[in-house]
Amino acid sequence: LGLCLSLILILILTLIHRYIHVIMVFWSFLAGVVTFYCSLGPESLLPNILVSIKPKTKSYQQELFPLGHSCAVCGKIKCKRHRPTLLLENYQPWLDLKIPSKVDTSLSEILELVLENFVYPWYRDITDDEAFVDELRVTLRFFAAVLVRRTQKVDVASLITKKLLKVSMKHIEIITKARQKVKNTEFLQQAALDEYGPDLHVALRSRRDELLYLRKLTEMLFPYILPPKATDCRSLTLLIREVLAGSVFLPSLDYLADPDTVNHLLLIFIDNSPPERATDPTSALVPFLQRYSDIRSKKPSVLKLELKEIREQQDLLFRFMNFLKQEGAVHVLQFCLAVEEFNDRILCPELSDSEKMMLHEEVKKIYETYCLDESIDKIRFDPFIVEEIRNRKIIKSVPSKLIKEKGQHLEPFIQSFFNSCESPKPKPSRPELTILSPTSENDKKLFNDLFKNNANRSEMMEKRHNQNYFMEMITVEGVYDYLMYVGRVVFHIPDWLHHLLMGGRILFKNTLEAYTDYYLQYKLDQVVEEHRLISLITLLRDAVFCESSQPRSAQEKHKRAKKTFEEMMNYIPDVLGKCIGEEAKYEGVRLLFDGLQQPVLNKQLTYVLLDIAIQELFPELNKVNRCCKYRSLNEKNVTI
């Protein structure tokens, strides 16, 4: 027995010695599989393998603080080293902002149409003085410049992929649940509105609630989109509120939520043909809306005082100085007085060499005091003026330019000073001006055949919050998850394909999303090209101001809708149809298409997206008060 055991052991040792590499490979593979299975889960993701694609970094731009002070040297709000002063960008946000001249002309045209349609019809019956309208032009320029500056600070591609698409997934989920409850597409919209329950946007209760919401939203933005102290003028703010809310925003949102418009935008998005090329060379850059805001009134305005008038009245000058101290802008007045004195001396026809040397020293002192970055009294000038002063070209070119410049930076302060001199009027219990007043005659402007009375709810329905799909799975976050979500909920992809995509998620999620951000930014850069910007501005102009144009017929709308559905079917890859079946592909596309043909549902999604965009552009609203009085869908988890 012992001999047999010894022979067996010798045989085993011989086999192990000969095949040890095979055994080690097997056990190493088994150990690797176990380790991989235990260490990796659905939340484990490989990093982006497209190392050449990196997130786009935004260049730093000074934020606008309409109600605060910051240091002119370092730009900080709480600066202990320098004297705080009010940035001129707070009064003139268009400084250093330039756009192509053709785009500037298109913007000027649409802003001029705002005045022609909503101001001049009643204003011309009162007076022919253009001073008030000139002030409105400056206010509209301020508003537009603030929007452009803030938009430049937003990572639009990331906003789309991380926030806007997420709430769109929730919208798709609501439509899917509603579709399961009704067989006829005609009842899909009402079923989806019921499915939203208390999550329905407050503006969708009725058309009147929609207008009130836009008014409130506009009022909340006033401290950030209007010049400082402009909100003290109640009549101005009421006029701007009514024009923007009732005559610009409301018809614009109606246009965007119109299924015919949605179909048109879808056809543009899924069109595979190359984008149109610019036929004309790029136009020259011009200061933002400068020509639009030029003063057109030929009479002296009673709405503001000239600097010369303030200087000649000691009492007014004293009050103005106190006002500038509060605003941290005394050095601007000191500069103007220094330039005034310099001009009086340099315009003398006969100057001796010693006097020229003294003037040379004087302009040097002005440059060091008001132009150097390290100076506590630094003022933002146009670069060409700083260059002229630095090069000491004082005899030939500087006088005329300084004469033009000397009062330019004080104009907004003078206007604010003039406004601050008036005691604020008591706020009325009801608005003095209402363009869309609650009368039966004006109801025709609010209600229309397409949107009717929106959801037509007098109060929000008390209803249990609806549960999401697939609560046992991971939370939807990112483009890869969105694609899986649409595949699972809309196209009902088979389990084997879902599991395969879940496995691929670990490998490709970060890579796909990095590429998506890059591709979106590439497309956005194409959209903001000059000729395309002009085209978009023209579309907006036609939507808001061309009410008298012939509306599209029902036959034309039906033809566009049919083409949209066909293009959506063709847009889905054939390989997906083979994997899930042609019937599932058809039903999925049909569900998405039917969901986009519901005007009130489109309006719901539009308002949710609008609120997210507003909060991104004006993050200050998140600190003070949310701009929407409803449970924000972007805070809800959507799961797959």
Side-chain angles (χ1 to χ4, degrees):
L1 180 62
L3 180 62
C4 290
L5 291 174
S6 299
L7 291 174
I8 291 173
L9 289 174
I10 292 172
L11 180 62
I12 291 174
L13 290 173
T14 303
L15 291 173
I16 290 175
H17 183 268
R18 175 170 292 186
Y19 298 104
I20 186 66
H21 61 285
V22 177
I23 297 173
M24 289 301 295
V25 168
F26 171 76
W27 282 107
S28 298
F29 173 77
L30 183 61
V33 170
V34 173
T35 303
F36 186 81
Y37 179 81
C38 295
S39 60
L40 290 181
E43 298 299 331
S44 302
L45 300 173
L46 291 182
N48 169 30
I49 62 175
L50 300 176
V51 292
S52 60
I53 297 179
K54 304 222 170 154
K56 183 179 179 182
T57 56
K58 289 274 183 182
S59 57
Y60 174 78
Q61 293 182 355
Q62 177 64 47
E63 180 61 278
L64 299 178
F65 297 96
L67 305 180
H69 294 72
S70 58
C71 179
V73 179
C74 62
K76 295 181 180 178
I77 300 301
K78 297 180 180 178
C79 174
K80 298 180 180 179
R81 294 181 56 193
H82 310 105
R83 176 170 56 80
T85 181
L86 198 65
L87 288 175
L88 284 172
E89 287 89 338
N90 294 339
Y91 287 88
Q92 300 172 325
W94 49 80
L95 287 177
D96 298 333
L97 195 59
K98 295 187 177 182
I99 59 175
S101 62
K102 292 182 180 178
V103 177
D104 189 77
T105 301
S106 297
L107 281 176
S108 300
E109 180 185 356
I110 199 171
L111 291 177
E112 193 63 32
L113 282 171
V114 171
L115 301 178
E116 288 289 343
N117 284 270
F118 309 121
V119 176
Y120 276 122
W122 56 266
Y123 183 74
R124 286 195 178 107
D125 294 337
I126 302 173
T127 178
D128 60 352
D129 188 359
E130 290 282 325
F132 174 72
V133 184
D134 286 341
E135 292 299 327
L136 273 180
R137 286 192 178 93
V138 174
T139 302
L140 291 174
R141 184 190 187 192
F142 188 100
F143 164 66
V146 169
L147 284 185
V148 171
R149 276 185 175 272
R150 286 180 176 264
T151 303
Q152 289 176 343
K153 294 171 64 68
V154 175
D155 186 348
V156 180
S158 178
L159 172 64
I160 293 173
T161 56
K162 288 183 171 56
K163 294 184 178 180
L164 301 186
L165 283 179
K166 186 172 184 178
V167 298
S168 300
M169 296 301 108
K170 186 67 182 179
H171 187 72
I172 290 175
E173 181 186 34
I174 293 291
I175 294 175
T176 304
K177 288 184 176 182
R179 190 68 182 89
Q180 293 173 353
K181 296 180 179 180
V182 295
K183 295 182 178 180
N184 197 328
T185 308
E186 184 179 344
F187 305 107
L188 177 62
Q189 178 167 275
Q190 187 58 48
L193 293 175
D194 295 340
E195 195 68 33
Y196 264 110
D199 289 334
L200 189 70
H201 197 286
V202 67
L204 268 292
R205 294 180 185 176
S206 67
R207 289 288 283 179
R208 195 170 303 284
D209 284 327
E210 183 178 2
L211 177 61
L212 293 176
Y213 178 81
L214 290 173
R215 284 174 174 169
K216 183 63 178 177
L217 178 61
T218 307
E219 285 182 347
M220 292 187 68
L221 293 177
F222 275 166
Y224 312 103
I225 64 175
L226 293 184
K229 295 186 174 58
T231 52
D232 294 342
C233 181
R234 181 68 176 167
S235 59
L236 175 66
T237 54
L238 281 173
L239 173 63
I240 295 177
R241 185 196 72 179
E242 293 303 312
V243 169
L244 291 180
S247 301
V248 177
F249 293 155
L250 185 62
S252 298
L253 289 166
D254 285 348
Y255 174 76
L256 289 175
D258 188 335
D260 190 54
T261 303
V262 173
N263 291 334
H264 180 57
L265 295 176
L266 273 175
L267 287 174
I268 294 176
F269 177 78
I270 61 182
D271 186 9
N272 292 325
S273 59
E276 58 176 336
R277 298 288 181 181
T279 56
D280 300 325
T282 304
S283 56
L285 296 178
V286 296
F288 184 76
L289 293 178
Q290 184 180 61
R291 294 186 61 185
Y292 170 75
S293 61
D294 284 343
I295 296 177
R296 307 181 189 187
S297 177
K298 299 179 181 179
K299 302 177 183 179
S301 174
V302 297
L303 298 178
K304 68 177 181 180
L305 299 172
E306 297 296 335
L307 179 60
K308 182 179 180 181
E309 298 176 89
I310 296 177
R311 287 186 57 202
E312 291 175 350
Q313 302 180 41
Q314 289 299 320
D315 179 62
L316 198 55
L317 180 60
F318 174 74
R319 296 179 64 185
F320 188 47
M321 287 287 291
N322 288 335
F323 171 78
L324 290 178
K325 287 179 182 178
Q326 297 173 5
E327 298 294 321
V330 176
H331 62 296
V332 180
L333 178 60
Q334 292 171 340
F335 166 78
C336 292
L337 297 176
V339 170
E340 184 82 17
E341 182 181 355
F342 176 82
N343 285 332
D344 291 341
R345 294 168 58 188
I346 201 173
L347 293 178
C348 181
E350 296 180 359
L351 288 174
S352 62
D353 292 340
S354 60
E355 288 175 329
K356 289 181 180 180
M357 289 301 298
M358 290 177 62
L359 289 174
H360 184 277
E361 291 299 320
E362 183 67 24
V363 78
K364 181 180 178 181
K365 182 179 178 181
I366 291 175
Y367 172 78
E368 293 173 349
T369 305
Y370 302 107
C371 299
L372 291 180
D373 290 337
E374 58 269 19
S375 172
I376 62 173
D377 289 327
K378 178 182 179 294
I379 301 175
R380 286 287 304 277
F381 294 109
D382 288 334
F384 77 89
I385 290 183
V386 178
E387 188 66 23
E388 293 286 356
I389 299 176
R390 190 176 69 83
N391 291 333
R392 310 300 187 254
K393 297 180 181 179
I394 63 172
I395 302 299
K396 294 182 179 179
S397 58
V398 171
S400 60
K401 292 178 180 176
L402 286 183
I403 289 173
K404 179 181 179 182
E405 179 74 17
K406 64 180 180 180
Q408 176 179 335
H409 292 293
L410 269 179
E411 277 214 15
F413 293 101
I414 294 173
Q415 182 61 43
S416 298
F417 168 66
F418 185 78
N419 293 336
S420 67
C421 290
E422 295 183 348
S423 58
K425 299 177 182 179
K427 293 184 178 179
S429 57
R430 297 183 65 183
E432 300 93 343
L433 176 65
T434 305
I435 291 180
L436 294 180
S437 57
T439 63
S440 58
E441 180 182 354
N442 284 304
D443 280 348
K444 297 178 181 178
K445 298 182 180 179
L446 278 177
F447 308 133
N448 56 44
D449 294 335
L450 183 62
F451 295 96
K452 296 182 172 59
N453 196 26
N454 288 343
N456 196 21
R457 293 183 183 177
S458 58
E459 59 182 9
M460 297 301 287
M461 297 173 56
E462 294 295 332
K463 185 177 179 181
R464 177 179 63 86
H465 286 293
N466 300 298
Q467 297 298 319
N468 294 317
Y469 281 97
F470 313 114
M471 290 297 292
E472 71 279 4
M473 306 303 285
I474 60 175
T475 301
V476 170
E477 193 69 52
V479 175
Y480 193 96
D481 292 350
Y482 302 153
L483 293 175
M484 288 185 60
Y485 181 80
V486 172
R488 190 70 168 169
V489 174
V490 178
F491 293 97
H492 303 289
I493 60 176
D495 290 340
W496 67 267
L497 182 55
H498 180 261
H499 296 328
L500 182 64
L501 292 175
M502 286 296 293
R505 182 178 185 272
I506 299 175
L507 301 175
F508 305 118
K509 176 178 168 63
N510 286 332
T511 300
L512 175 66
E513 290 171 4
Y515 175 76
T516 302
D517 285 346
Y518 167 81
Y519 182 75
L520 267 178
Q521 190 59 53
Y522 168 74
K523 284 293 185 182
L524 290 170
D525 291 340
Q526 287 185 330
V527 169
V528 297
E529 290 178 1
E530 181 179 349
H531 64 290
R532 295 192 178 95
L533 269 180
I534 295 173
S535 177
L536 290 174
I537 295 172
T538 303
L539 284 175
L540 178 62
R541 180 201 66 191
D542 295 343
V544 177
F545 300 106
C546 294
E547 295 180 353
S548 59
S549 60
Q550 186 70 21
R552 287 171 53 81
S553 65
Q555 184 179 2
E556 291 174 325
K557 293 181 179 181
H558 178 73
K559 183 178 179 181
R560 175 179 285 177
K562 183 179 178 181
K563 182 180 180 182
T564 302
F565 179 76
E566 292 172 353
E567 292 297 326
M568 288 176 67
M569 286 291 294
N570 295 332
Y571 190 75
I572 303 296
D574 293 336
V575 64
L576 180 62
K578 294 179 180 178
C579 292
I580 66 176
E582 289 299 325
E583 183 179 355
K585 174 184 173 182
Y586 175 86
E587 292 297 333
V589 173
R590 189 76 204 182
L591 174 64
L592 294 176
F593 175 78
D594 289 341
L596 293 172
Q597 306 310 304
Q598 317 303 323
V600 181
L601 287 183
N602 291 343
K603 182 69 73 70
Q604 161 71 20
L605 181 59
T606 302
Y607 269 106
V608 175
L609 299 180
L610 172 67
D611 288 340
I612 295 174
I614 290 293
Q615 291 177 14
E616 195 75 16
L617 288 172
F618 301 92
E620 300 92 337
L621 294 176
N622 296 324
K623 301 175 184 177
V624 181
N625 187 17
R626 288 193 178 274
C627 64
C628 36
K629 298 179 180 178
Y630 72 105
R631 183 166 299 160
S632 180
L633 289 179
N634 64 308
E635 296 176 350
K636 290 179 169 295
N637 285 333
V638 183
T639 56
I640 59 174

